[in-house]
Amino acid sequence: PVLQGPRTALAPLAAPATAANFDGIGNGVSGPAGTFTVNSAPPDTNAAVGPNHIVETVNTDLAVFNKTTGAIVFGPVAINTLWAGFGGGCQVDNDGDPIVSYDRLADRWIISQFQVTSTPFQQCVAVSKTADPTGAYFRYAFNYSGFPDYPKMGVWPDAYYVSYNMFNNAGTSFLGSQV
């Protein structure tokens, strides 16, 4: 049997004070690469926080912020800028559904988006070569026979895991989930 003790009310906890507050990528926000313009809705916003930077992706654009000052130190730029010189759909197409994660164990940034303009459909993945999100990246393209929608990433000590809702190439029939 389960034993229950007397019920006592807990004192409410106050939220901690905000250390910094600044605007992320939004319509009209300017940085070293120019001014951001919203190009689709919903916004598909993602952000990850590292020791010195915050990296944000919105639809098909990304920016890197100084964590202390909130100043944009890189961007806003098209996400497919990361695949410049890579060739193929990841370089040419900037289709969105972005993910950004920070791997604390490896001190690396992971940025990805899908490429669904041409077949085979792809998940374009970039992993920073150093702890600096404004530096060079290792770049990958993973091919899929179906439409890899709504990607979600998990950072784990042994790998990066991504799950998808898979649809046929026309996007009309749900084929199930895939990792």
Side-chain angles (χ1 to χ4, degrees):
V2 176
L3 299 175
Q4 292 185 3
R7 294 178 186 235
T8 57
L10 299 176
L13 300 175
T18 302
N21 188 1
F22 52 86
D23 290 336
I25 301 175
N27 206 34
V29 169
S30 293
T35 303
F36 176 77
T37 302
V38 174
N39 63 3
S40 56
D44 289 337
T45 57
N46 292 271
V49 180
N52 302 307
H53 298 92
I54 297 171
V55 178
E56 182 184 23
T57 58
V58 177
N59 290 335
T60 57
D61 289 79
L62 75 92
V64 178
F65 297 83
N66 177 295
K67 184 176 170 180
T68 304
T69 67
I72 298 177
V73 296
F74 178 76
V77 297
I79 296 171
N80 67 331
T81 301
L82 295 173
W83 288 271
F86 186 72
C90 290
Q91 174 182 319
V92 175
D93 300 316
N94 195 39
D95 293 339
D97 257 13
I99 301 171
V100 60
S101 294
Y102 175 70
D103 181 343
R104 287 185 270 173
L105 293 177
D107 199 17
R108 300 288 184 266
W109 298 88
I110 308 106
I111 300 171
S112 73
Q113 71 171 346
F114 63 22
Q115 179 285 118
V116 293
T117 300
S118 58
T119 56
F121 295 147
Q122 298 173 312
Q123 186 70 18
C124 308
V125 179
V127 179
S128 65
K129 293 183 177 184
T130 69
D132 181 5
T134 66
Y137 281 77
F138 296 106
R139 302 166 303 173
Y140 308 90
F142 297 95
N143 295 336
Y144 293 91
S145 58
F147 182 93
D149 196 21
Y150 202 60
K152 299 297 172 213
M153 180 179 293
V155 175
W156 209 244
D158 66 339
Y160 303 141
Y161 294 91
V162 182
S163 64
Y164 306 95
N165 288 329
M166 297 302 292
F167 290 85
N168 66 353
N169 283 352
T172 56
S173 295
F174 179 63
L175 303 175
S177 297
Q178 182 175 358
V179 177

